[in-house]
Amino acid sequence: MVSALSGEGLQELKDTIAGKVCCFAGQSAVGKSSLMNALLPKLDLPVGELTRKTDRGKHTTRHAQLWPCFGGALLDTPGFSLYEPESFDEQLLQGCYPEFTQAEPCRFPGCMHITEPGCGVKELLQDGRLSPARYARYVEIAKDFTFRRKHQYD
Ligand SMILES: Nc1nc2c(ncn2[C@@H]2O[C@H](COP(=O)(O)OP(=O)(O)OP(=O)(O)O)[C@@H](O)[C@H]2O)c(=O)[nH]1
Ligand SMILES: [Mg+2]
Ligand SMILES: [Zn+2]
């Protein structure tokens, strides 16, 4: 977790990105440019706000720019309105959650970790080794993948 406002997580973020080429990507107004400014105050990049009308960002950043820093480089990018991944492979999705690898094997192979009994990932959730908010978003995305795979030839 990071916050440009409070400075939470900034040192860990610096340590993680040092010596690498990294980019910030995400929906408009999540705070990518604010984070760039917090890490590199000299940049003074323009930041936007949420529109009351749609509760979405205003697409303040209009181009991607690479800034050398911390022995590597950081790229600020324009935000998108909606995130819709092209592939909907549930196995690839699970690979995006490194926490899942700490789980005991689930009772059923190919477990989606949603409603199946004997699920190791659900146990992680119970002992607080998996963030409930991250898990809730995983369930939402996984259900969307299943829905879109079922309807891909409609
Ligand atoms: N409360 C709070 N607000 C933040 C934080 N980071 C950014 N904001 C606010 O969120 C709004 C959008 O920030 P930006 O940095 O412009 O967001 P962005 O992701 O670069 O947006 P685009 O350039 O449109 O893609 C601004 O009003 C910021 O002040 C934060 O850590 N806490
Ligand atoms: Mg921006
Ligand atoms: Zn499971």
Side-chain angles (χ1 to χ4, degrees):
M1 291 260 229
V2 288
S3 168
L5 196 68
S6 71
E8 180 191 349
L10 285 188
Q11 189 55 50
E12 288 98 320
L13 182 61
K14 266 187 208 174
D15 296 343
T16 309
I17 63 188
K20 300 180 189 134
V21 178
C22 297
C23 98
F24 291 152
Q27 281 165 304
S28 179
V30 292
K32 301 176 294 295
S33 300
S34 303
L35 211 47
M36 294 288 299
N37 287 338
L39 292 167
L40 305 163
K42 279 190 196 147
L43 290 185
D44 198 17
L45 298 173
V47 301
E49 55 193 46
L50 287 173
T51 57
R52 281 185 194 279
K53 223 166 143 188
T54 59
D55 214 22
R56 286 197 184 156
K58 286 186 166 170
H59 299 282
T60 306
T61 304
R62 297 273 172 184
H63 69 287
Q65 187 161 352
L66 193 65
W67 304 94
C69 61
F70 314 127
L74 260 182
L75 183 73
D76 189 21
T77 67
F80 29 81
S81 306
L82 192 69
Y83 175 61
E84 200 172 322
E86 247 175 45
S87 130
F88 27 82
D89 177 332
E90 283 94 346
Q91 292 307 317
L92 284 179
L93 176 65
Q94 294 194 12
C96 297
Y97 292 80
E99 302 99 312
F100 289 7
T101 59
Q102 302 171 27
E104 292 293 321
C106 302
R107 188 182 307 164
F108 299 108
C111 182
M112 289 281 293
H113 321 309
I114 300 179
T115 52
E116 300 89 338
C119 171
V121 168
K122 284 289 199 54
E123 278 170 30
L124 290 183
L125 202 59
Q126 273 147 23
D127 9 298
R129 285 190 287 160
L130 175 62
S131 149
R134 249 169 87 74
Y135 175 72
R137 289 189 290 271
Y138 161 77
V139 172
E140 200 177 312
I141 300 169
K143 285 184 174 169
D144 178 58
F145 274 29
T146 305
F147 179 85
R148 288 202 284 142
R149 192 165 30 69
K150 271 191 194 148
H151 295 277
Q152 62 183 312
Y153 303 116
D154 290 1

